[in-house]
Amino acid sequence: MLTRLFSETSLMPEVQKFANWTDDCEDDLSDQGESEDKSLQDVHTEGSLSESKEDGDLVEEEEEEEEEEGTEEVEGERPKKRGPKKRKMTKARMERSKVRRQKANARERNRMHDLNSALDNLRKVVPCYSKTQKLSKIETLRLAKNYIWALSEILRSGKRPDLVAYVQTLCKGLSQPTTNLVAGCLQLNSRNFLTEQSQEPGRYHGPNSSFAMHPYPYQCSRLSGSQCQSSSMASSHALRSHGYCATYESLYGNTSPDYNSSEYEAPLSPPLCINGNFAVKQDSSPDHDKNYHYSMHYSALQASRASGHSLLFSSSGMRSGVHSENLLPYDMHVHHDRAPMYEELNAFFHN
DNA sequence: TAGGCCATCTGGTCCT
DNA sequence: AGGACCAGATGGCCTA
């Protein structure tokens, strides 16, 4: 998991660590102090440690040498050539060791739970959050990294970023399904993504842009991820007919393709813009529950800006006047505490 | 069924 | 000595 992430960027230290470890193992073989735990472990483990212990005779000889050194000063009498090594593994000792191990396991479990809840918190503050369709740990970390980078770029340049480049930044290094998910959250499906780039070459600022990324290999003509497949045209139309907008439109003006055109076949993921989150609740079926609930945070946007109420936006960019409290999807999570930050960010997206 | 992701157990290492 | 942290091993679950 995390190890994999770090090993991607720093393989050499890992190799070095392994080399050190193998050296240490040789030293450990002559270390009497660990013999009691190892004897316990022999029953259960088959890992590298026990593999090294398979050279039983060799190990015993080394241990004996240590034993001899240690006992010489204590007593003149030499220990038996083949006796118990040090302290015998009595029943009480085994019991204590077992308890110690159980306690350590419990602590480790708690530690991992803490780590996971921290990751859950991180999932909630990155641009794509769904309670039911969680990003994997590694993808969460990658997306968070990209998100931080994108935000700092916005702060650094002080300009409204190009959306396509923004999405590319967010999606850099992410898997295709996650990329689709993020793009879906941003109301950018693959087709839209590509046409944006091809039709408006000037919008992609190239390698010298503050959001310069290598062009993302957005190759799918349909969204492969289940998340994005769930965004059916029908539901898109339903939402639109109710005056709900696509986030991209509401954020950046009307740049959407012709939804009625047969040429436009890529599914949409039209999240609602409510209180700085984009989310969708279109169907109560379990499958839809699983797939439709996305929140998008970076665009807190117009939420509660003027009236203190969260408003939805129509596709024309005008407020629909529908109050969010009447429409909050059950799976949506509102982050009021981050409103000030979103207001700041909002300034870049709504001039 | 293979591969990805995850939780858990475990032993080693470092730190207090 | 005990706890925190780390990484390897393992098995379960899910999905393409």
Side-chain angles (χ1 to χ4, degrees):
Chain A
M1 289 183 273
L2 292 181
T3 316
R4 262 182 276 171
L5 177 68
F6 295 132
S7 63
E8 284 175 6
T9 53
S10 55
L11 276 174
M12 288 311 292
E14 294 296 322
V15 174
Q16 183 60 47
K17 201 172 177 181
F18 179 75
N20 294 338
W21 176 79
T22 51
D23 290 340
D24 291 342
C25 278
E26 291 178 14
D27 298 334
D28 289 344
L29 288 176
S30 59
D31 186 354
Q32 286 289 315
E34 294 181 14
S35 60
E36 62 178 75
D37 279 343
K38 283 178 181 174
S39 65
L40 229 182
Q41 177 200 352
D42 279 348
V43 184
H44 304 292
T45 62
E46 303 154 7
S48 54
L49 197 61
S50 54
E51 277 175 22
S52 62
K53 282 166 69 70
E54 280 172 9
D55 320 333
D57 291 340
L58 188 72
V59 173
E60 278 184 8
E61 280 177 21
E62 289 180 10
E63 285 175 345
E64 280 165 14
E65 285 176 15
E66 285 284 67
E67 188 80 14
E68 283 173 12
E69 284 180 18
T71 51
E72 260 181 9
E73 2 180 296
V74 178
E75 45 191 291
E77 184 185 331
R78 287 178 69 84
K80 282 196 294 185
K81 196 84 173 159
R82 291 192 176 273
K85 294 301 171 280
K86 249 193 170 169
R87 284 168 293 184
K88 212 173 164 184
M89 203 55 190
T90 66
K91 202 170 181 180
R93 289 176 64 79
M94 284 181 71
E95 199 56 39
R96 274 203 301 276
S97 181
K98 203 170 159 186
V99 169
R100 206 164 51 222
R101 192 60 256 175
Q102 283 172 346
K103 279 169 71 179
N105 287 347
R107 280 195 308 272
E108 179 66 8
R109 231 174 304 151
N110 281 336
R111 199 180 68 84
M112 295 311 293
H113 289 165
D114 287 347
L115 189 62
N116 286 339
S117 64
L119 255 165
D120 274 338
N121 289 336
L122 185 59
R123 282 188 185 100
K124 291 174 189 171
V125 297
V126 293
C128 226
Y129 173 59
S130 165
K131 216 177 185 179
T132 50
Q133 184 76 36
K134 290 204 303 188
L135 289 177
S136 72
K137 294 178 177 183
I138 185 74
E139 294 289 85
T140 301
L141 291 173
R142 285 178 179 141
L143 180 57
K145 183 204 75 176
N146 293 345
Y147 187 41
I148 291 169
W149 196 86
L151 293 183
S152 53
E153 275 303 302
I154 292 173
L155 291 175
R156 189 184 63 77
S157 65
K159 290 187 219 158
R160 165 183 159 162
D162 175 84
L163 179 70
V164 175
Y166 177 80
V167 175
Q168 286 179 328
T169 303
L170 285 185
C171 294
K172 187 183 183 186
L174 300 184
S175 67
Q176 190 65 50
T178 309
T179 298
N180 291 338
L181 179 61
V182 173
C185 285
L186 293 168
Q187 191 52 39
L188 271 179
N189 53 62
S190 59
R191 176 69 62 87
N192 202 2
F193 199 100
L194 287 172
T195 51
E196 283 260 349
Q197 286 196 22
S198 60
Q199 289 175 358
E200 300 180 61
R203 296 199 62 184
Y204 183 71
H205 300 298
N208 295 324
S209 158
S210 63
F211 271 89
M213 310 292 301
H214 52 79
Y216 209 80
Y218 228 89
Q219 49 189 329
C220 58
S221 61
R222 63 173 183 86
L223 302 180
S224 61
S226 60
Q227 306 92 337
C228 293
Q229 288 170 3
S230 67
S231 304
S232 67
M233 286 293 289
S235 54
S236 300
H237 285 206
L239 281 173
R240 290 170 62 83
S241 68
H242 282 82
Y244 303 149
C245 66
T247 59
Y248 186 82
E249 294 173 33
S250 62
L251 285 172
Y252 304 99
N254 189 357
T255 57
S256 65
D258 180 7
Y259 290 91
N260 294 319
S261 163
S262 59
E263 193 182 326
Y264 189 83
E265 58 193 14
L268 290 173
S269 172
L272 305 178
C273 171
I274 304 171
N275 253 13
N277 296 277
F278 291 90
V280 172
K281 165 87 173 74
Q282 290 158 314
D283 194 312
S284 58
S285 72
D287 282 345
H288 283 80
D289 288 349
K290 194 174 177 184
N291 296 324
Y292 274 116
H293 298 171
Y294 307 126
S295 303
M296 201 191 79
H297 307 298
Y298 87 94
S299 50
L301 317 177
Q302 306 283 9
S304 62
R305 186 180 245 183
S307 63
H309 288 290
S310 304
L311 301 177
L312 299 173
F313 293 82
S314 70
S315 57
S316 63
M318 297 183 62
R319 294 181 181 182
S320 67
V322 182
H323 291 269
S324 65
E325 46 266 45
N326 298 327
L327 292 161
L328 274 173
Y330 66 88
D331 191 26
M332 215 187 75
H333 305 278
V334 182
H335 303 276
H336 297 282
D337 53 327
R338 297 207 307 276
M341 184 186 83
Y342 293 142
E343 292 276 335
E344 293 282 320
L345 265 177
N346 197 25
F348 292 101
F349 291 91
H350 298 273
N351 299 323

